[in-house]
Amino acid sequence: MDDAKALQFIEEVTENADKVQQTTLAGILSQNGEIEYLKCFNLDGATDREAFKSKIPVVTYEDILPTNSRWRSLPDPLRSTHLRFNNQVLMNFAFPLLKFVLSSILFCFNSSGTSGGEGKLIPATKQDQDVRGLQISLARAILNRHMTGLDEGKSLHFMFVKPERRTQGGLVVRSTITRFLKIEIKNLPDDAMKTASSPYEAVCCEDIFQSMYTQMLCGLYERERIIRVGTIFASGLLRAIRFLQLNWKELIHDIRTGSLDPRVDDQAIRGCMDRVLRPEPELADMLARECEKDKWEGIITRIWPNAKFIDTIVTGSMSQYIPTVDYYSGGLPVICAMYVSSECAVGINFDPFCNPSEVSYTFMPQAAYMEFLPLDPEFSEPVDLVNVEIGKEYELVATTYTGLYRYRVGDIFRVTGFHNTAPQFRFLTRRNVLLSIDSDKTDESTLQGAVARAYKVLDESKTVVVDYTSYADTTTIPGHYVIFWELLLKDPDGWPSGEVVEQCCLAMEEAMDAVYRRCRVGDKSIGPLEIRIVERGSFEELMDYAVEKRSATFSQYKTPKCVKLKPMVDLLNSRVVSAHFSPALPHWAAEERL
Ligand code: AMP
């Protein structure tokens, strides 16, 4: 679809958002009408909104997860349908019933959203691929409307695939981004890789070091032609900067000599780099002058002087990275183009050059059938897309071509306005998430479990932890979890040694979920967990602050399990007695590659 048609399409569907929603729902239901899940709720082939909403329940992933105890207690027909989420069981028990569904599933997405600490499996289908492809074309058209000449320069967009795996039943499981890079990219209109400075061979290399090294090297060679720099999420951009800080000498050596560091031994990469490598001593000198400086403020614009903007998501939990991104980019505009998840790709930012703190995503009515669960407990019924109210907060409930029906995605939004009749949403947060550095999402119960595990390492006859709270420290690259502890010594000699507290850090990491451990060990996108022991009385001061300054009620005050407000973080930091880091990596097994 060319840009003019894409913009026209946007106007048409947003002008008739409610009608398009009804058509989308009818399309999904008529295509999936034979599915046992819909049958067992007696939908009887109906495709209208009223029947759908009165008969099909709103569910969470846990409700439809095949292996949990709730599933085991469900009646047989219902059980069968849930098996779509786990091909292994589907093959063993329910294949005949679900043949139709299976034939339309291409593979499962591996979502970073966690369920019981494990990544979720979300089915993916051909239609879903088409919906995502269309969203990308629409977002590109919007960007091109705001800035011309984007196809003339190069884009340094750091992209990485993750190893794929198969369910025992044979379905391929891969992340949304991996699917995009391995499959969808080939179907994009004018071949998105044309403007990318990173060679396809580097992007598709599963070894993160080799991939990053090559992408960075190519980006440095192309420095004059790069007009945009980005990653999917802002945490990834900061890792790229850190990578440059650690490896600039080797990269510059390669540019000076036209050779490739022997640590990059992937044959596909080496083959394609033969065409790129050339000795460029002047470029090497210039880069060395910049990288040698103590201060890296504005390094992005110093190295890529023609970069016009940063293309990375800094909304939601990523907003914590905005000051650091600004620091390294010298204040370049930051663009958050889309809201996408493994479950659905529905949001497009119609005003890409707005201030990052004001980004809203317009939800496209053809992308999925959407309902919105009000956060206000007084209103428990989900409302339709066009009926959301400005200023109110909601959780997205999606019905998709892939077989999610009234599924709570877990993302929370506030309505900020409308484009024609389609609402626009500001991403607020994920339901129940306390701490997040990269794609990890640690909730209160996981944190509590981890802290409990750490307590066991302490000698409780001598020391007890009076109170704790946590904080995602993003001033280090990669960021890391900080846990503040206030200790009570039962025995004057009971102060735990540094070594013991380090073991507490490790015990906590061991108790974190699989996504945290993958980020920490596999992706190296999270640094070692840190325990900061604070002076006695610090948590009382924290409460005083909350009561005096934040209108908390004394009798109902509970220590927040995560502190986000700067004055509270500053207060605790000013009372730190000692800081201790996890001395080793937690366990992470290949089969946990979720
Ligand atoms: P995954 O399913 O692993 O691809 O992760 C998708 C999740 O990333 C979503 O459910 C959101 O929580 C988050 N996410 C995606 N796009 C955005 C965005 N534009 N702003 C903030 N968070 C986002």
Side-chain angles (χ1 to χ4, degrees), residues 467 469 486 537-560 563 567-568 571-572:
D467 211 342
T469 188
E486 183 173 320
S538 302
F539 277 81
E540 259 172 63
E541 287 183 58
L542 197 70
M543 179 176 78
D544 292 344
Y545 175 87
V547 171
E548 277 167 33
K549 300 272 180 0
R550 314 286 318 168
S551 343
T553 31
F554 191 77
S555 55
Q556 287 171 285
Y557 175 82
K558 294 176 216 67
T559 304
V563 278
M568 294 176 107
L571 189 156
L572 289 170

Side-chain angles (χ1 to χ4, degrees), residues 111-112 176 233 313 315-316 338-342 361 411 427 430:
S111 164
S112 62
T176 338
F233 290 109
I313 290 175
T315 44
M338 295 169 78
Y339 160 72
V340 176
S341 68
S342 304
Y361 300 98
D411 289 335
F427 186 103
R430 252 194 102 77

Side-chain angles (χ1 to χ4, degrees), residues 435 469-473 480-484 529-532 573:
L435 293 166
T469 188
S470 64
Y471 155 64
D473 186 345
H480 68 288
Y481 289 10
V482 173
I483 315 298
F484 291 102
L529 183 145
E530 180 184 358
I531 290 178
R532 292 183 193 161
N573 273 333

